[in-house]
Amino acid sequence: MRRINLPALAAGVGLGAALGLGCAGEGGDAGVVELSLGHVGSPGSLYDVTANEFARRVNERLAGRVELHVYGASQLGGDDAMLQRLRLGTLDMSIPSTIMSSVVDAFGLFEMPYLVRDREHMRRIEEAVVWPDLAPRAEEAGYRILAVWENGFRHITNSRRPIRGPEDLRGIKLRTPRGVWRVKLFQALGANPTPMPFSEVFVALQTGVMDGQENPLTQVTSSKLHEVQDYLSLTGHVYSPAFVTTGAGPWERHPEDVRSEVEAIAREVQAFVYETASRMDEELLAELAATEMEINEADPARFESASEPVYEEFAATVEDGRSLIDRARAAAPPEADAPEAGTPEAGS
């Protein structure tokens, strides 16, 4: 992995120059296309593991033609900064998740609580909703989605008390990612939500600026949030997909064969992402059980009931919102074919 020239970035030098990538589509070696991928995941997180596997496959199969470099742990800024750089063409790919609902409101579908039951359900939603509806809307906003990966099933941690139902969230200062519907959800549940870049979460929890946060287990452990939180409540309230994303215009500057092969590998990696995520969920829950954190189950039915107004607002205010919800729900596999969300197999 190349070292980033941080002083150059601070001085306003273009990201491509700071990374030593040159202009889009150019590389340090004649004929080699150098690509960059940024993400916010800490070392050891699902983002980190899967982005590096993606880069390994691209660099191995396209050796001599493409070099893909990964910059994790918010080295290139938060999701919002990286999305801006995608459109400018100074970054080739990133892996946004919740923030996509701030770019295209229809992506708020994935902010609806307990909508996605398990990963098989997500695969079906991808085919029924993401590619025919959400991906074209993202392209209209200037972004090209190459593949659907995962952030994960989200749970609540905090330093004040166990969260078993919505009433336990009252008065909790809760960090959320930047996404209007996540804020609306936790307002409906009685918490005091505040959007904040993930890179700032640990210190905010450590200093008491925030009481808690909600994230998949892989983000909790890789960022050591368990060191500054007393309670882990297994709510599984939202499943967050992640989207391998490029700038629609800048991506076209690369050779067509490179684009098609990289996209094919990105989609192929999804199977690795899901398998890794499921395994990590089970292993990390066991690791957290061995810490001083108090772990409790929550009551999903009470959370679902309290969050129904968020569904109604989404259906009423987002173009085709009701149709998106109905089609996503209809994509659920038969009960006998899938575990309930909240089980280890479902990834919670």
Side-chain angles (χ1 to χ4, degrees), residues 19-276:
L19 297 178
L21 300 181
C23 299
E26 295 180 1
D29 299 321
V32 176
V33 176
E34 297 204 37
L35 302 177
S36 54
L37 183 151
H39 65 81
V40 300
S42 301
S45 67
L46 180 63
Y47 274 3
D48 177 60
V49 172
T50 53
N52 287 332
E53 174 64 15
F54 174 50
R56 184 192 68 78
R57 296 189 190 191
V58 168
N59 291 336
E60 183 177 276
R61 295 187 198 173
L62 281 65
R65 298 165 54 208
V66 173
E67 290 183 7
L68 173 57
H69 306 276
V70 177
Y71 302 93
S74 302
Q75 291 181 75
L76 308 184
D79 281 322
D80 52 351
M82 286 189 283
L83 283 174
Q84 293 175 13
R85 287 167 176 158
L86 294 181
R87 295 190 66 174
L88 292 172
T90 54
L91 176 65
D92 292 298
M93 289 173 276
S94 70
I95 319 175
S97 182
T98 300
I99 197 172
M100 287 301 292
S101 65
S102 296
V103 176
V104 178
D105 58 4
F107 279 82
L109 176 70
F110 297 111
E111 305 301 299
M112 299 300 105
Y114 302 101
L115 177 74
V116 180
R117 289 170 43 191
D118 50 50
R119 293 182 177 94
E120 178 55 35
H121 187 192
M122 183 61 221
R123 286 189 185 97
R124 298 184 185 209
I125 292 174
E126 179 184 347
E127 294 304 318
V129 180
V130 174
W131 295 119
D133 285 278
L134 301 188
R137 298 193 199 194
E139 191 133 5
E140 290 175 2
Y143 300 98
R144 174 82 53 81
I145 294 176
L146 303 186
V148 179
W149 289 358
E150 176 174 312
N151 191 350
F153 286 89
R154 308 180 79 95
H155 307 285
I156 298 171
T157 70
N158 83 101
S159 57
R160 293 180 59 181
R161 54 181 171 266
I163 306 298
R164 295 185 173 89
E167 67 279 1
D168 297 316
L169 282 169
R170 290 174 189 153
I172 296 286
K173 296 179 293 184
L174 193 78
R175 178 270 174 183
T176 67
R178 182 184 164 195
V180 62
W181 293 102
R182 190 72 55 79
V183 172
K184 289 178 182 290
L185 169 61
F186 281 103
Q187 287 174 335
L189 296 176
N192 296 327
T194 299
M196 179 183 294
F198 187 68
S199 59
E200 300 175 11
V201 174
F202 184 92
V203 172
L205 297 173
Q206 185 180 46
T207 59
V209 172
M210 290 288 117
D211 297 318
Q213 62 84 51
E214 45 88 53
N215 253 302
L217 298 181
T218 178
Q219 301 285 40
V220 172
T221 56
S222 64
S223 297
K224 302 186 184 303
L225 301 185
H226 56 284
E227 295 182 358
V228 290
Q229 296 278 263
D230 298 322
Y231 303 97
L232 167 62
S233 300
L234 300 175
T235 52
H237 52 279
V238 165
Y239 172 85
S240 297
F243 306 94
V244 183
T245 305
T246 71
W251 187 241
E252 294 295 323
R253 300 174 190 167
H254 297 301
E256 182 178 359
D257 62 327
V258 167
R259 287 186 278 116
S260 63
E261 291 182 69
V262 169
E263 179 173 348
I265 295 172
R267 295 201 186 192
E268 167 197 303
V269 167
Q270 184 193 72
F272 174 86
V273 173
Y274 285 173
E275 178 183 356
T276 303

